[in-house]
Amino acid sequence: MAEIVLEQVDKVYGGGVKAVDGLDLEIRDGEFMVLVGPSGCGKSTALRMIAGLEEISGGKISIGDRVVNDLAPKDRDIAMVFQNYALYPHMTVEQNLAFGLKLRGVSKEERGKKVREAAKMLGLEQYLSRKPAALSGGQRQRVAMGRAIVREPQAFLMDEPLSNLDAKLRVSMRASLSQLHERLKVTTVYVTHDQVEAMTLGSRVCVLREGKLQQVDTPQRLFDNPVNLFVAGFIGSPSMNFVSAELVRDDDGARVSFAGHTLPVPDDLVAAKPGLEGYFGRSLILGVRPSDFEDAAHAKPDWAPMPATCTVTEELGSEINVIFTIDAPPVEHKDTADLAEDASEGDQEMAIPLAENKALWTARVNARSHVRPGQDIELAVDTRRLHFFDPDSGLAIGALASASDPAPAPADGGITGSGRVQKG
């Protein structure tokens, strides 16, 4: 095992197009790091540069105690798992698993031992004599992973390995990958465009956009403390609701007003967000996650009421997504525009829809709610979890410091540490 460190890594293609721009990232020994972002954000390019399949244009990449900039892929002691499995169709599962070891001159006895161990670990023992054509997609992907495991490399690099599987199989394979990592403790770098996959798999998650690192942190901290509008909208499904709002204070305390609604802002929240005091009497962007709503009939008594008229319901069994309009246009900012563009390409369910120039919001409520389309509903909001963003920079106001960096957050709301936040 080994840590992987990228220092100011660039990748520039013809015409001066920067696929990766000044990437600083430290992947700890034994960590499961997920690189996530929309199509074209540079995540696969970054992975391929770590593997040595792409030359870097600038910067330094280290694996363990070696700088690997000029090392061939075969000399980097890493194993790749690809989206398309890359199995040899004329070989059996056993031969596929053993092939890399055979090329390295490992004895037949040792090859057999390692193959049997990997097959047992992955539930492939009964398929060793089969050829890939006789396997399901999930079984083929397990063979591809087994071929990486038998090599006992310093690191696994995985490029969207589950994207060819159906939805149900992807869920079970995610669980298998988590169990595998827990058992092997091998440093793993995993690329995906699916933020749900990123959140469920990653020890930490690195969010990329246009080749630049936006934020790197644990999944929960990314969800709770996004550094800017882009991360806030990209992480979480359904995505965060945004609206232009005004922060005010009077005898009743702090409040945020938007689209004919007013929500109280707890004093504790103001105190916990450095810099928010400076926005009283000014416009800002308010963010509310769907999961911080509830049907008022089932909410805690201290949650703030917010009436709405239900436009559409999505009944998911354990919960209901209530989609409703607010009397305000969608937020106009480059971050939210990029999110909408990405959604239109099918990467995420995060479009910013319009209804007569009114934004559609989503509230996730208890399945016991009897709300139906066209009905009025009294929603309740957990105002302790409101998010605020600067309308010009898009940076979160009062963002907390990264888990990897005990220092306080910078004045502009960015997050420092093992990942350097850059304005997009």
Side-chain angles (χ1 to χ4, degrees):
M1 295 191 295
E3 71 173 0
I4 300 171
V5 180
L6 287 74
E7 300 177 56
Q8 284 291 292
V9 172
D10 292 328
K11 179 61 182 180
V12 183
Y13 289 110
V17 177
K18 271 199 170 183
V20 174
D21 187 357
L23 180 57
D24 282 325
L25 186 63
E26 179 185 326
I27 301 159
R28 299 164 185 158
D29 187 14
E31 183 173 33
F32 198 122
M33 174 67 79
V34 179
L35 309 184
V36 69
S39 296
C41 71
K43 55 189 183 293
S44 289
T45 302
L47 189 80
R48 290 174 63 83
M49 287 193 293
I50 295 171
L53 300 176
E54 290 271 6
E55 289 187 6
I56 68 172
S57 304
K60 183 169 74 173
I61 298 177
S62 303
I63 300 177
D65 56 0
R66 295 190 302 170
V67 175
V68 298
N69 289 20
D70 300 319
L71 284 184
K74 65 182 178 62
D75 298 323
R76 297 192 182 198
D77 196 15
I78 51 92
M80 285 281 292
V81 179
F82 297 96
Q83 175 181 342
N84 62 358
Y85 318 135
L87 301 179
Y88 297 105
H90 62 287
M91 294 184 184
T92 64
V93 168
E94 184 173 13
Q95 290 167 335
N96 266 284
L97 291 174
F99 186 68
L101 298 176
K102 187 176 181 180
L103 288 181
R104 286 168 177 77
V106 177
S107 69
K108 185 175 181 181
E109 182 180 339
E110 185 66 16
R111 291 200 307 265
K113 178 185 174 185
K114 290 181 180 293
V115 165
R116 287 191 298 273
E117 288 175 351
K120 183 177 181 181
M121 189 182 301
L122 294 165
L124 293 170
E125 293 169 294
Q126 60 186 314
Y127 306 113
L128 287 174
S129 61
R130 294 189 187 181
K131 292 185 177 179
L135 303 176
S136 68
Q139 290 162 350
R140 291 179 199 175
Q141 193 54 276
R142 283 188 307 205
V143 175
M145 290 175 188
R147 192 171 52 188
I149 289 168
V150 297
R151 288 187 44 199
E152 299 180 352
Q154 289 194 90
F156 295 136
L157 307 181
M158 301 188 180
D159 192 3
E160 305 213 36
L162 308 185
S163 59
N164 285 344
L165 307 180
D166 62 55
K168 187 174 181 180
L169 188 53
R170 286 179 76 160
V171 172
S172 65
M173 285 297 292
R174 285 205 306 262
S176 297
L177 269 174
S178 293
Q179 291 173 336
L180 199 60
H181 181 258
E182 188 64 28
R183 184 180 302 180
L184 298 173
K185 304 289 188 185
V186 175
T187 307
T188 301
V189 188
Y190 186 102
V191 162
T192 180
H193 68 277
D194 183 338
Q195 56 93 15
V196 175
E197 199 167 279
M199 296 284 280
T200 52
L201 280 172
S203 309
R204 286 191 301 155
V205 176
C206 166
V207 182
L208 293 169
R209 170 194 180 199
E210 296 177 346
K212 295 180 181 180
L213 174 63
Q214 301 296 299
Q215 187 173 359
V216 56
D217 216 324
T218 63
Q220 192 61 51
R221 285 177 62 91
L222 281 179
F223 185 83
D224 291 337
N225 302 300
V227 75
N228 58 27
L229 281 169
F230 181 83
V231 176
F234 191 84
I235 297 295
S237 182
S239 60
M240 187 182 287
N241 304 297
F242 298 118
V243 67
S244 296
E246 186 177 5
L247 191 63
V248 297
R249 178 182 272 143
D250 55 22
D251 293 341
D252 295 325
R255 295 178 290 116
V256 62
S257 299
F258 62 97
H261 299 283
T262 299
L263 296 174
V265 180
D267 292 340
D268 289 349
L269 183 64
V270 176
K273 291 187 176 294
L276 190 58
E277 282 281 356
Y279 284 82
F280 280 99
R282 295 170 54 188
S283 294
L284 44 62
I285 295 171
L286 171 68
V288 185
R289 288 212 180 274
S291 54
D292 293 328
F293 283 98
E294 184 54 277
D295 185 324
H298 304 285
K300 295 179 180 179
D302 59 341
W303 287 26
M306 180 177 166
T309 301
C310 176
T311 303
V312 175
T313 59
E314 297 175 339
E315 298 187 34
L316 305 175
S318 59
E319 57 210 3
I320 300 171
N321 287 338
V322 176
I323 299 172
F324 61 99
T325 61
I326 62 167
D327 191 15
V331 169
E332 293 187 4
H333 192 277
K334 185 179 187 306
D335 286 5
T336 56
D338 286 351
L339 291 169
E341 181 181 349
D342 183 49
S344 70
E345 295 174 359
D347 279 316
Q348 300 288 338
E349 297 176 3
M350 56 173 62
I352 302 170
L354 304 179
E356 300 174 354
N357 203 34
K358 296 179 180 180
L360 285 178
W361 274 26
T362 302
R364 179 164 282 179
V365 304
N366 196 295
R368 293 193 297 272
S369 174
H370 299 296
V371 64
R372 293 293 178 268
Q375 292 181 349
D376 292 335
I377 180 174
E378 183 84 352
L379 294 170
V381 184
D382 184 356
T383 54
R384 296 166 302 176
R385 297 178 62 83
L386 298 177
H387 298 262
F388 302 98
F389 303 89
D390 183 271
D392 297 321
S393 68
L395 292 171
I397 301 167
L400 299 180
S402 169
S404 59
D405 178 20
D412 66 358
I415 289 181
T416 58
S418 58
R420 182 168 51 85
V421 175
Q422 307 179 42
K423 296 180 184 180

